[in-house]
Amino acid sequence: MKENGRDPDVNRVATVTGMTGALEDDDVRPGWGPEIDELVRRRRVALEMGGSEAVARQHAKGKWDVRQRLDAMFDPDSFHEVGSLAGTRAPGDVDWDGQLTPSNLVVGSGLVDGRRVVASGDDYSVRNGTSEQAAWRKLGHIEHYAVDMRMPVVRFVDMSGASLSAITDQGYTSIPDPGDWEWLGVLSEVPVATVACGPCPGLGAWRVGASHFSVQVDGIGNVFAAGPPIVRAGIGEVVTAQDLGGSAVHAGHSGVIDNRAVDEGDAVEQVRRFLSYLPSSVHGLPQRAETSDDPDRRDEQLLTLIPRDVRRGYRVQTLLDGVFDHGSVFQIGAGWGRSSVVGLARVDGYPVGYIANDPFRYGGGMDEFAAEKVTRHIDLCNAFHLPIVSLVDQPGTVIGSQAERRGTVRKGLRALAAVEQSTVPWFAVVIRRMFGLGGATQWPVRSSSVKVAWPSARWGSMPVEGGVDALMRRQLAAAEDPDSLRRTMELEFKALGSPLRTAEKFGIHDVIDPRDTRSALSRWVADAYGVLTPGPVRHGHRP
Amino acid sequence: MNMSLNEVRADMTAVVWKIVVAEGARVRAGDEVAVLESMKMEIPVEAHRDGTVTKVFVHEGSSIAEGDPIVEIS
């Protein structure tokens, strides 16, 4: 209803102001006591979230409420909320001390392991996670603040999808752009870690997926472009929320999410761990940590790790534990793109990124998911000035019609582009195989990259086994005893394939005793940290 | 897709190199039930649960794709 020809919202502000004046006449306390009392009351209301019943419903689903999440994330008593006064009134409520429903996004900053970090967390107990305008403004503000003040961002996402009633209340439909939320720019400035701890439909999936590290909580995190009712209406598929977008789907297959967590405490710990390897922004450098591990430790297991039988695999974790500081290996994306193994670790206390391969998954070959995982990881390391350790056992791009239909070659080329565009120092050790396009993605060609090999290393445009059959078909067909000829040829190629032959031409910088890998890395990493340069990089992070 | 929780499925395109268990065998979670060959490597396939092998879906030399059942353990 319009009064005096003015917009009703403007009238509402005028009414509130008028009532404040009336209250001053009745209250005999000096100064601004009544207003301070009202501030205190409103902040208390915000702490009550959606009310005791709604919070109990949240807990009954096995979920923490937003305040528990922030308490777990931040060092004790260090979180300072911004915007706790924001919220919505019931239509027609014009009292100056009227009933306000808190905003369903809590934002603020605090200390995580002593370092300043900003966070946002959805409050699903308010209107079942349906968003409102203040929430959007708060998100825009706090992430701009993080960028300008150079602090990491953490997001806890637990929200509803688009709401028809919100459109009715608003009176118009919005263009679907991110507005004040500078989701892409933030990725090239500060670390962004996200937790999917409830429904994350549409915009929620965007907020979780557009990050450097995401973790999804088993059983309660659901990430999708649209939830089951819309999927059913749109394409007729009947599917549960967990089967559509649970952690087994996204952290166990698609790679939309990096890691899964068994519960919310595990998720918070993984975020804390991830942030510990990174600087607070691209304008700083990763921090060296204390370590009791000897930089020249020789792990005897490395001598026998690689079987002489080229068809037999080995545990990649033994390799990682043998070269990096004790307890420092943090794997990212263990459940998807599994033929590539990537993560963060430390060498003599210095944080590094690593890429390796799992021989038990396509022999370590690069499929489309593995290529995507490597691309993102190189972008991450490059943006935040983490030197890269490449432990190579890469038989090549995964072959076959399924791989071709999935565009594996282009995904591999994108990985190769990320490798070549990186400017951080690289140290590569060829553990075993290095073949073809997949092999080429294991280090950049620039000549300051250190490239050494174990005696078990073999490389080339294709492996000898099978290669003889494919390339010498005519000679084999013409031979009296093709099997004998094949064996002779394979032995000849194997002798030529010794890494020592390549080292004679300085095609590889050195062939080393596997047990000396750690000491070689320790010497290099100190040099690498001497040349790291803070600042934004030319090629920012692609989510 | 009708996915039985009792089935051990291939998680990559491969050839069945060896079948290690026969129908009726008792297995424990983590026991090797078959060995696949992919990208010239032997890839062990492990039982996901304790139980009895009630069906073997593949033969040595079978080509299998991601998601194909290998054995059923009940």
Side-chain angles (χ1 to χ4, degrees):
Chain A
M1 187 180 70
K2 285 197 171 189
E3 294 175 3
N4 306 328
R6 296 166 68 185
D7 182 278
D9 277 338
V10 175
N11 274 313
R12 187 175 304 165
V13 173
T15 310
V16 170
T17 310
M19 288 192 70
T20 305
L23 192 138
E24 279 175 353
D25 293 341
D26 298 341
D27 199 299
V28 294
R29 284 179 290 172
W32 296 88
E35 282 78 4
I36 302 301
D37 289 348
E38 176 61 6
L39 276 180
V40 170
R41 185 187 74 84
R42 290 190 182 201
R43 294 201 203 285
R44 196 175 57 239
V45 167
L47 290 176
E48 289 166 0
M49 299 174 277
S52 56
E53 283 181 23
V55 171
R57 280 198 299 277
Q58 172 88 356
H59 293 163
K61 290 175 192 159
K63 299 198 290 186
W64 284 354
D65 61 62
V66 65
R67 307 251 164 218
Q68 289 174 312
R69 287 167 180 158
L70 294 168
D71 281 351
M73 188 73 247
F74 286 97
D75 299 350
D77 301 320
S78 74
F79 181 70
H80 180 76
E81 186 173 352
V82 177
S84 62
L85 300 180
T88 47
R89 284 168 179 264
D93 179 356
V94 294
D95 292 341
W96 85 286
D97 54 353
Q99 291 304 307
L100 208 64
T101 303
S103 162
N104 63 348
L105 188 77
V106 179
V107 306
S109 61
L111 298 174
V112 173
D113 293 332
R115 194 166 59 161
R116 295 277 292 148
V117 168
V118 313
S120 61
D122 294 319
D123 185 350
Y124 197 88
S125 73
V126 175
R127 290 189 311 280
N128 287 329
T130 308
S131 191
E132 34 73 42
Q133 287 190 341
W136 199 238
R137 293 195 191 106
K138 288 166 84 172
L139 182 67
H141 163 69
I142 204 67
E143 297 207 356
H144 273 115
Y145 188 83
V147 168
D148 287 353
M149 300 298 161
R150 301 180 177 180
M151 300 177 191
V153 167
V154 177
R155 301 182 195 129
F156 292 93
V157 184
D158 177 11
M159 63 180 283
S160 291
S163 146
L164 288 180
S165 65
I167 296 172
T168 314
D169 292 348
Q170 189 174 263
Y172 68 98
T173 53
S174 305
I175 299 286
D177 70 36
D180 275 352
W181 179 45
E182 204 181 331
W183 69 277
L184 184 57
V186 70
L187 292 174
S188 296
E189 290 285 337
V190 298
V192 178
T194 58
V195 181
C197 43
C200 306
L203 177 61
W206 187 348
R207 285 167 58 208
V208 171
S211 61
H212 299 107
F213 175 67
S214 54
V215 55
Q216 184 169 7
V217 183
D218 288 345
I220 59 173
N222 295 310
V223 179
F224 28 58
I230 293 178
V231 168
R232 183 174 191 170
I235 61 170
E237 182 187 357
V238 179
V239 62
T240 66
Q242 279 281 295
D243 286 347
L244 182 63
S247 56
V249 174
H250 287 309
H253 187 79
S254 77
V256 167
I257 299 290
D258 292 306
N259 284 14
R260 50 197 296 184
V262 293
D263 56 30
E264 298 207 44
D266 179 23
V268 165
E269 277 312 306
Q270 290 193 47
V271 167
R272 192 189 300 276
R273 183 112 194 258
F274 171 77
L275 292 177
S276 74
Y277 296 90
L278 300 181
S280 291
S281 77
V282 299
H283 303 282
L285 295 178
Q287 295 298 300
R288 190 180 184 186
E290 292 286 321
T291 178
S292 57
D293 202 357
D294 179 359
D296 297 318
R297 171 172 57 89
R298 283 165 65 89
D299 188 332
E300 291 298 325
Q301 288 189 83
L302 297 183
L303 184 64
T304 53
L305 179 66
I306 308 300
R308 279 188 174 273
D309 180 349
V310 294
R311 292 171 50 83
R312 308 289 289 190
Y314 56 89
R315 284 187 66 245
V316 69
Q317 191 64 43
T318 308
L319 168 63
L320 301 175
D321 292 341
V323 298
F324 295 123
D325 292 356
H326 278 314
S328 77
V329 176
F330 178 67
Q331 196 172 337
I332 297 176
W336 63 279
R338 284 162 42 202
S339 59
S340 282
V341 178
V342 310
L344 305 171
R346 289 195 172 81
V347 177
D348 197 18
Y350 292 106
V352 296
Y354 69 82
I355 59 174
N357 311 95
D358 183 353
F360 292 128
R361 176 79 186 176
Y362 285 128
M366 182 169 279
D367 67 359
E368 74 278 17
F369 290 112
E372 198 173 291
K373 186 156 88 173
V374 167
T375 305
R376 283 189 76 231
H377 194 59
I378 302 301
D379 280 356
L380 169 75
C381 294
N382 200 46
F384 294 102
H385 320 301
L386 287 157
I388 297 169
V389 176
S390 179
L391 302 165
V392 185
D393 180 9
Q394 174 53 263
T397 307
V398 167
I399 55 177
S401 53
Q402 178 179 272
E404 298 302 343
R405 281 198 301 271
R406 289 179 174 179
T408 310
V409 171
R410 182 175 299 283
K411 306 285 169 48
L413 287 168
R414 291 175 74 89
L416 183 54
V419 170
E420 291 299 348
Q421 287 169 346
S422 70
T423 53
V424 289
W426 281 66
F427 188 108
V429 190
V430 187
I431 303 301
R432 201 181 215 184
R433 298 181 293 177
M434 184 175 185
F435 291 101
L437 169 62
T441 60
Q442 305 297 297
W443 64 48
V445 293
R446 83 181 108 93
S447 66
S448 67
S449 305
V450 180
K451 298 152 190 169
V452 301
W454 286 7
S456 44
R458 296 290 183 272
W459 41 66
S461 53
M462 68 187 301
V464 170
E465 316 84 13
V468 170
D469 272 331
L471 298 179
M472 303 294 180
R473 199 165 33 206
R474 214 172 289 165
Q475 290 93 319
L476 288 170
E480 277 184 26
D481 184 351
D483 287 342
S484 164
L485 179 62
R486 184 189 297 108
R487 278 195 297 277
T488 307
M489 284 175 153
E490 285 184 354
L491 284 173
E492 280 176 18
F493 280 119
K494 270 187 182 165
L496 287 172
S498 162
L500 292 172
R501 298 288 289 254
T502 309
E504 289 167 15
K505 305 292 182 196
F506 202 61
I508 190 88
H509 299 162
D510 205 355
V511 179
I512 63 171
D513 182 329
R515 294 166 295 184
D516 292 333
T517 307
R518 180 171 163 79
S519 59
L521 277 174
S522 298
R523 284 192 301 277
W524 161 82
V525 78
D527 287 345
Y529 267 78
V531 298
L532 293 178
T533 310
V537 295
R538 189 169 165 201
H539 299 282
H541 190 85
R542 290 157 280 210
Chain B
M1 201 183 328
N2 182 21
M3 299 274 278
S4 163
L5 292 176
N6 294 334
E7 288 169 359
V8 177
R9 289 170 178 271
D11 59 3
M12 68 192 91
T13 306
V15 173
V16 178
W17 169 247
K18 259 191 276 189
I19 297 167
V20 181
V21 293
E23 285 178 12
R26 295 281 304 167
V27 292
R28 299 184 69 85
D31 284 355
E32 195 172 277
V33 294
V35 182
L36 308 182
E37 183 188 1
S38 184
M39 299 292 281
K40 302 189 186 75
M41 290 291 293
E42 293 173 21
I43 317 279
V45 178
E46 294 175 352
H48 64 303
R49 50 170 290 182
D50 296 351
T52 302
V53 176
T54 44
K55 191 161 178 57
V56 176
F57 295 96
V58 294
H59 305 285
E60 290 181 355
S62 302
S63 290
I64 52 171
E66 189 178 318
D68 286 352
I70 298 170
V71 297
E72 180 184 68
I73 301 171
S74 304

